[in-house]
Amino acid sequence: MELKLNKPICFFDLETTGIDVAKDRIVEISVLKVFPNGNKESKTWLVNPEMTIPPQAVAVHGISNEKVANEPTFTELAHQIHNMIKDSDLSGFNSDRFDIPLLAEELLRAGVDFDMKNRVSVDVQTIFHKMEERTLAAAVKFYCGKSLENAHSAEADTMATYEILKAQLDRYPELENDMKSLAEFTTRKRSADFAGFILYDQDGEEIFSFGKHKGAKVEKVLEDEPGYFGWIQNADFPLYTKKVLTAIKLRKFNNKLS
């Protein structure tokens, strides 16, 4: 089944130096952009992470320090990558919990403003886990009837994710072929930031999900304990979390003025 799209959607996959969203870096990114008329555009970049790639990461994806030594840094590629995805919804395999948060960190680190305000994300892994509970390689075998060649190559994983989503729509008639509906189906928790430090309560208001203020409304904490904002900004939290917290603080300030 082909996708019904109102806007382009970018399937993407990252190979990285590790799994810490705030600290690790991208070493390879592959993007497959699918347009509403069915046209496709794809691009894969190797990236110099400006840090040593640990042996355990090399063992997974096969991208060595020598292989990326002369490749551009993410800062050098950031605007090119952002231009490809800026008008699109996003999709990947485990993308809501890893790929999108890490990509956001890299873009913000490079000085490129990134948010999800005018787009949705469809995590193909969540559909798979809700329906079948398997891995990516098993998903390719199960849905597409073939083996995943070159697993842990960003390009191969990206193409596989796209093929899996189309096959999932064929297999499960209860899934609506609409990116907003699929995004809602694949959302695990409603969070204001990617890392899940700031969630939404049943009234749609932001609350902290951690620490001494767990469950407390963010606006009230910032009003009652102004130093908490500064502590988070100076601590080792993801840049996107800090951006979201700043926006809440500014919104509260502007509301007082109006």
Side-chain angles (χ1 to χ4, degrees), residues 96-218:
D96 281 357
R97 291 188 293 179
F98 181 72
D99 298 84
I100 293 175
L102 200 148
L103 178 61
E105 290 299 296
E106 288 276 38
L107 287 168
L108 291 170
R109 196 179 291 120
V112 177
D113 194 19
F114 174 85
D115 60 49
M116 295 292 293
K117 286 181 181 177
N118 297 312
R119 69 175 98 224
V120 297
S121 65
V122 178
D123 192 330
V124 174
Q125 186 194 60
T126 303
I127 296 175
F128 188 38
H129 282 181
K130 282 188 173 184
M131 299 297 192
E132 305 296 342
E133 301 290 338
R134 295 290 196 278
T135 62
L136 177 59
V140 174
K141 187 71 174 177
F142 184 85
Y143 289 110
C144 305
K146 57 186 179 182
S147 298
L148 175 58
E149 304 295 336
N150 300 317
H152 295 296
S153 152
E155 184 174 5
D157 289 357
T158 295
M159 292 298 297
T161 302
Y162 168 61
E163 295 295 335
I164 290 168
L165 179 57
K166 293 196 298 177
Q168 286 172 331
L169 290 167
D170 285 326
R171 177 174 287 268
Y172 306 118
E174 64 268 35
L175 290 178
E176 187 176 350
N177 192 348
D178 171 77
M179 296 307 109
K180 185 176 180 181
S181 174
L182 290 171
E184 291 173 354
F185 184 81
T186 59
T187 298
R188 290 179 170 88
K189 280 186 177 180
R190 292 187 64 237
S191 60
D193 66 333
F194 293 126
F197 288 112
I198 303 174
L199 304 177
Y200 291 108
D201 65 13
Q202 60 185 7
D203 299 319
E205 296 185 36
E206 297 94 346
I207 59 173
F208 285 111
S209 68
F210 69 97
K212 64 180 182 179
H213 294 302
K214 183 176 181 179
K217 294 187 185 298
V218 174

Side-chain angles (χ1 to χ4, degrees), residues 11 19 21 35 38 56 91 101-102 105 136 159 170 200 209 229 245 253:
F11 294 82
I19 58 174
V21 168
F35 295 87
Q56 58 268 33
S91 182
L102 200 148
E105 290 299 296
L136 177 59
M159 292 298 297
D170 285 326
Y200 291 108
S209 68
F229 174 83
L245 193 65
F253 177 76

Side-chain angles (χ1 to χ4, degrees), residues 10 23 31 62 93 110 126 244:
C10 284
K23 295 180 179 178
V31 181
F93 200 85
T126 303
V244 168

Side-chain angles (χ1 to χ4, degrees), residues 19-37:
I19 58 174
D20 188 321
V21 168
K23 295 180 179 178
D24 280 304
R25 303 297 181 91
I26 294 170
V27 298
E28 185 181 33
I29 176 171
S30 185
V31 181
L32 171 65
K33 187 171 186 176
V34 182
F35 295 87
N37 64 4

